[in-house]
Amino acid sequence: MYSFHSDALLFKVDRAAELEEFMRRWLGPLIDYDEKRHADLTLTLGALLEGRGLRHAAEQLVIHVSTLKYRIKRIHEILALDYHDPEIAFNLALAVRLYRISRRGWPAGAAERTMP
């Protein structure tokens, strides 16, 4: 059986720097907040965007639903975006996926391939 991981598609373009720029454009303030305060709001946003409901997101993050609601409020204050808008939600979900990949490290040589 053929198995393909969707993250691999993100690197078919050989433009890791552009992917990083996209991620920072959508999540930059949230990533900065997380880094300064040792928080997990970026990953919280990812769990929320999976769309399985608050209870499932809270269980995935191993937090109480009231804690999740507080985090959602902070995310909204920081990003000032309506994640209920389908296009915004798509871009945020893609940016979170890129964030998760970047935390594991870009594929070897990806950044170098973006150089002219």
Side-chain angles (χ1 to χ4, degrees):
M1 178 197 287
Y2 180 69
S3 174
F4 187 77
H5 197 271
S6 61
D7 289 347
L9 287 173
L10 296 173
F11 295 100
K12 293 290 184 186
V13 295
D14 289 334
R15 296 180 189 261
E18 289 179 33
L19 295 174
E20 174 81 18
E21 181 182 330
F22 177 87
M23 176 189 70
R24 295 293 305 176
R25 183 175 343 127
W26 283 95
L27 298 176
L30 201 58
I31 293 168
D32 294 343
Y33 180 94
D34 282 351
E35 289 174 357
K36 287 178 186 172
R37 292 171 178 80
H38 304 287
D40 289 320
L41 295 183
T42 304
L43 297 179
T44 299
L45 177 61
L48 180 65
L49 290 171
E50 287 181 6
R52 297 183 190 163
L54 293 179
R55 176 161 281 136
H56 182 268
E59 288 172 1
Q60 181 182 341
L61 296 165
V62 192
I63 59 175
H64 194 273
V65 173
S66 62
T67 302
L68 177 60
K69 289 178 181 179
Y70 170 78
R71 288 184 182 184
I72 292 169
K73 181 181 175 197
R74 288 298 298 140
I75 290 167
H76 181 69
E77 291 169 354
I78 293 166
L79 292 180
L81 295 172
D82 179 11
Y83 66 87
H84 292 100
D85 178 292
E87 188 168 336
I88 291 172
F90 174 82
N91 286 318
L92 287 171
L94 179 56
V96 169
R97 175 68 55 107
L98 292 169
Y99 173 75
R100 287 179 178 150
I101 293 168
S102 71
R103 288 182 72 195
R104 293 188 306 258
W106 297 107
E112 291 80 19
R113 290 193 300 265
T114 63
M115 300 296 175

